[in-house]
Amino acid sequence: MESKPSGLASQALLNKIDQLRELNVKSIELPQLVVLGDQSSGKSSVLESLTSFSFPQAPGLCTRYATQISCCREPEESVTVSIIPQQNADAVTKTRLRAFKRNTTKLTNDVLVQIIQDANKVMGIRTTAEDTDPSLCTFSNNTLKIEICGPEQEHFTVIDVPGIFRVSSPPFTTDEDVDLVRNMVDSYIKNNRTIILAVLPSNVDITTQEILKMAEKADPGGVRTMGVLTKPDLVTEVATQRAIKDLVLGKGKQLRLGYCVVKNRSADDAQSTAFERLAQEEAFFGKPAWREIAASGRCGVGSLKTRLSDLLMNITKREFPHVKAEAMKQLEQRRRELEDMGPSRTDQSAQMMYLGRLGSKFQAVTQCALNGYYDSESLFAENPDLKLITAVTKTNEKFANTFWRRGHKRHTSPDWDDEGEAVYDLAGNDDNYLAQDILLSYPELHDIVKTDSYECSKPKAFNDDSITDHIEKVYQLNRGPELGTFSGSILSATFREQSEKWEPLVLAHVSELIGLVHDYISTLLACICPDEQILAQLWETVLIEQLRKAYIRAMEQARFLLRIERQSRPSTYNHYFNSEVQRKREDRFKELTAAAQYTSSEGAKLITVASVQDTIVNKENAQQIREDILDVLTSYYKVSRKRFVDNICNQVIGHFLLEGDESPLKIFNSELVMGLDSAQLELIAGEDVETRNRRSVLDSEIKNLEAAMRILRI
């Protein structure tokens, strides 16, 4: 055991802990000494010996609440009794309880009885079975603080908790009171900075004591529990005496802090002084039966108090830096919670300001999300799903490549033309499954979007269900009086048939992007608005309907573009169309004349005029028209596809969903907030009772923690 620390520094450290305990900041565990024991275990006598404080002897004044007894050395003798309110008491109750204070210099039994009775009345304690007022309680979670000062006192603080009892005595005590006391005791001893002083009568079987079981549950390693054995003078059996001495000497089942044994004054000894009681105790342990343990340093009140003072000081010095760090951490956390709640929203202007700030934050983050400025907001690192433009770009690229490779119904040549573009591998691309999951998560979208995934089939091969046969069929069914040409209706019919997969492809893609945008909005709002009630009211009352309108506009624009591209007369002013037609004809000529080529003696590739005539001139009219239709269809489809994909990505996605003035991302802004009437503001941003209470609790905790930090820094 270390020698007892002394000096002004040690005294100041213990004073700080007592001041912190006065603040009653429950979120900070403080070093403390808690005494617990069953009723009639001798606990009151131990406390009296340790603190020189005599608990009053009067009916109905047994411990009904935790009692903090603090001793300090002062030139003048004084006793101050006050009440530390429980943490969850309301402000009015706290003020009333803190107003209670009694000071005296001569603490006789009669004076103390009157003070305790006054404190019980203030705390609403029922002291007799005749007290039938339903507002009264038998036990309380408030703490009675007794400060004892005098020239002979040393700094020492101990907390007494109500004695454990197992059977209620209605109507005075109930089963709820049994649980309340047990929970109160548990709340003290579970603190890892608490030294548990378990008071156990020597004349009972130690192994059956519930107090030890409770202490063992809170302190499994027994590193902060000390046993105090009382009433050794009532032990007459030699075997029991031997068991007690073995515990004290460390031979039995041990606690890490061991056991001490003290002799209480007898029940009929109410007049002896503290000096006389110490002399009686010393004489008792000097008897032959107890002489073996007299020199162990674990006998008597003096030894017990020294050991407890050492333990309390050691744990205080060891834990003080941790208490300081914990207080700072708690203060920062409470401040963040209060900041997240925003300013108090009790009037219309405050409600509008709160929502306006949310709208501004939403727009600021969204601009970063659309421009890819992810380093400017920590939200993107915390939630990668907010990287909107990255997801949109990937989805558009997947759509464009799918459209390119599979958007047509039939291949128009034996070898699929990659048009000089890089091949995109669709295998293993399962992003669509995620998109469908997102859509299914928002039932408000189900009547707007396509929630079923669309698997775009591969185009039919050139030789399977030949496109030339199909062109021939369409030509025969729609030919007119034209000579050597074909009508525009034939091109329209073949183009519509070739592009029949466009509609499901486009609607599935736009639906997927709507799901991404909707999920982004929902996720971002949840990130910037921690108040779930405000979020729910804002979402349901204002945003949902506006968002639905924006998504409907996007889907309507997609269908409009589909009608323009597929149902209107084929038309283009793009010079690329004519060059494509010429290239197709050139390719066809090269293919037809390849077999007629021969090599001259000089190595040049030549072809006869007759071969050219056979290839070009000797061709049926219908065959020529079918080839022309195929060349025009192939060229126009390519022009139309490129134009259409860009229009979908630029207009529907880029304008209607992302950047346009009526984009869903532009809905939640300051203008929307300014347009809300007083009833809507109150419904969305008004504080309910729970929020006001939480704000009040946070304000109170912050004030207490700030006071705690001032104490810790001094």
Side-chain angles (χ1 to χ4, degrees), residues 51-53 70-81 102-108 146-154 274:
T51 64
S52 301
F53 172 77
S70 298
C71 305
C72 61
R73 181 173 295 176
E74 295 289 346
E76 302 294 332
E77 291 188 355
S78 65
V79 177
T80 302
V81 181
R102 299 290 186 273
N103 297 290
T104 183
T105 54
K106 298 296 182 181
L107 197 60
T108 63
I146 302 173
E147 297 174 274
I148 305 169
C149 300
E152 302 299 325
Q153 293 286 352
E154 295 182 4

Side-chain angles (χ1 to χ4, degrees), residues 262-417:
V262 298
K263 177 188 175 299
N264 308 75
R265 66 178 179 178
S266 60
D268 56 357
D269 180 10
Q271 304 300 323
S272 61
T273 64
F275 179 80
E276 291 170 339
R277 290 197 298 276
L278 288 175
Q280 293 171 6
E281 185 180 53
E282 184 177 351
F284 173 79
F285 288 116
K287 293 179 181 180
W290 299 96
R291 193 174 298 162
E292 182 182 357
I293 61 171
S296 67
R298 291 182 173 273
C299 290
V301 170
S303 175
L304 175 62
K305 187 170 184 179
T306 298
R307 295 180 70 83
L308 291 177
S309 294
D310 287 346
L311 284 171
L312 188 59
M313 177 52 72
N314 289 337
I315 193 173
T316 300
K317 292 179 68 176
R318 185 182 73 233
E319 295 295 331
F320 190 81
H322 302 296
V323 170
K324 188 172 182 179
E326 193 173 309
M328 175 58 74
K329 180 180 178 181
Q330 293 284 342
L331 178 58
E332 291 175 351
Q333 180 179 337
R334 298 299 185 275
R335 283 173 173 170
R336 281 196 302 270
E337 289 183 37
L338 189 60
E339 183 180 357
D340 288 342
M341 293 183 71
S344 178
R345 305 184 302 277
T346 55
D347 55 45
Q348 183 174 335
S349 61
Q351 294 161 0
M352 186 173 293
M353 182 177 296
Y354 178 82
L355 291 179
R357 287 176 177 172
L358 281 182
S360 298
K361 179 66 173 178
F362 182 92
Q363 290 302 322
V365 175
T366 298
Q367 282 305 306
C368 295
L370 289 175
N371 293 315
Y373 299 154
Y374 300 137
D375 291 338
S376 58
E377 289 284 349
S378 60
L379 285 174
F380 296 113
E382 298 166 3
N383 195 331
D385 289 343
L386 293 177
K387 295 181 177 181
L388 181 60
I389 199 62
T390 300
V392 170
T393 301
K394 288 175 61 178
T395 307
N396 277 341
E397 286 178 348
K398 182 187 71 173
F399 166 71
N401 280 283
T402 301
F403 220 94
W404 164 46
R405 298 197 65 183
R406 298 188 176 184
H408 50 285
K409 184 175 181 178
R410 295 180 176 87
H411 285 316
T412 56
S413 62
D415 298 319
W416 180 71
D417 182 7

Side-chain angles (χ1 to χ4, degrees), residues 435-443 445-446 449-451 511-512 515:
Q436 301 308 317
D437 290 341
I438 291 176
L439 289 172
L440 293 174
S441 300
Y442 297 102
L445 303 180
H446 289 181
V449 301
K450 301 295 183 182
T451 56
S511 296
E512 184 175 351

Side-chain angles (χ1 to χ4, degrees), residues 100-227:
F100 176 85
K101 184 167 289 190
R102 299 290 186 273
N103 297 290
T104 183
T105 54
K106 298 296 182 181
L107 197 60
T108 63
N109 186 69
D110 291 341
V111 172
L112 187 55
V113 166
Q114 185 59 53
I115 291 175
I116 298 298
Q117 287 177 340
D118 292 346
N120 287 346
K121 185 176 180 180
V122 172
M123 284 189 278
I125 299 296
R126 181 186 295 110
T127 56
T128 67
E130 286 71 33
D131 293 333
T132 59
D133 187 342
S135 65
L136 300 179
C137 57
T138 306
F139 295 91
S140 171
N141 282 315
N142 299 312
T143 302
L144 188 72
K145 180 182 180 183
I146 302 173
E147 297 174 274
I148 305 169
C149 300
E152 302 299 325
Q153 293 286 352
E154 295 182 4
H155 195 107
F156 187 78
T157 298
V158 63
I159 297 174
D160 178 33
V161 292
I164 297 294
F165 66 101
R166 298 160 188 80
V167 181
S168 59
S169 302
F172 190 60
T173 59
T174 65
D175 291 341
E176 287 75 14
D177 291 328
V178 175
D179 293 335
L180 187 149
V181 171
R182 183 176 295 274
N183 292 336
M184 185 191 306
V185 173
D186 283 338
S187 70
Y188 277 95
I189 64 177
K190 72 180 181 181
N191 176 357
N192 289 325
R193 297 180 181 130
T194 292
I195 300 171
I196 303 171
L197 196 63
V199 179
L200 308 160
S202 299
N203 58 339
V204 298
D205 186 357
I206 299 298
T207 61
T208 64
Q209 292 298 289
E210 188 174 2
I211 291 300
L212 278 183
K213 294 179 180 178
M214 292 181 65
E216 184 178 3
K217 182 178 179 182
D219 177 29
V223 296
R224 52 185 182 88
T225 302
M226 178 184 288

Side-chain angles (χ1 to χ4, degrees), residues 362 366 370 383 385-389 391-392 434-449 451 509-527 535-536 538-552 554-555 653 656-658 663-668:
F362 182 92
T366 298
L370 289 175
N383 195 331
D385 289 343
L386 293 177
K387 295 181 177 181
L388 181 60
I389 199 62
V392 170
L434 177 61
Q436 301 308 317
D437 290 341
I438 291 176
L439 289 172
L440 293 174
S441 300
Y442 297 102
E444 62 268 21
L445 303 180
H446 289 181
D447 61 333
I448 300 174
V449 301
T451 56
H509 175 60
V510 176
S511 296
E512 184 175 351
L513 265 299
I514 287 175
L516 284 175
V517 170
H518 197 65
D519 187 63
Y520 167 85
I521 294 171
S522 176
T523 303
L524 178 55
L525 285 174
C527 290
L535 180 60
L538 178 64
W539 187 257
E540 296 293 338
T541 305
V542 178
L543 295 183
I544 280 291
E545 194 56 38
Q546 296 293 329
L547 291 173
R548 281 175 50 84
K549 291 178 181 179
Y551 301 144
I552 290 172
M555 292 297 285
I653 309 304
F656 281 87
L657 288 182
L658 301 181
S663 156
L665 298 176
K666 301 289 183 67
I667 289 174
F668 184 37

Side-chain angles (χ1 to χ4, degrees), residues 458-477:
K458 292 183 179 180
K460 295 178 181 179
F462 182 77
N463 295 321
D464 298 337
D465 189 15
S466 171
I467 192 169
T468 56
D469 294 339
H470 173 69
I471 289 175
E472 172 66 22
K473 185 184 300 182
V474 173
Y475 174 69
Q476 294 299 336
L477 291 174

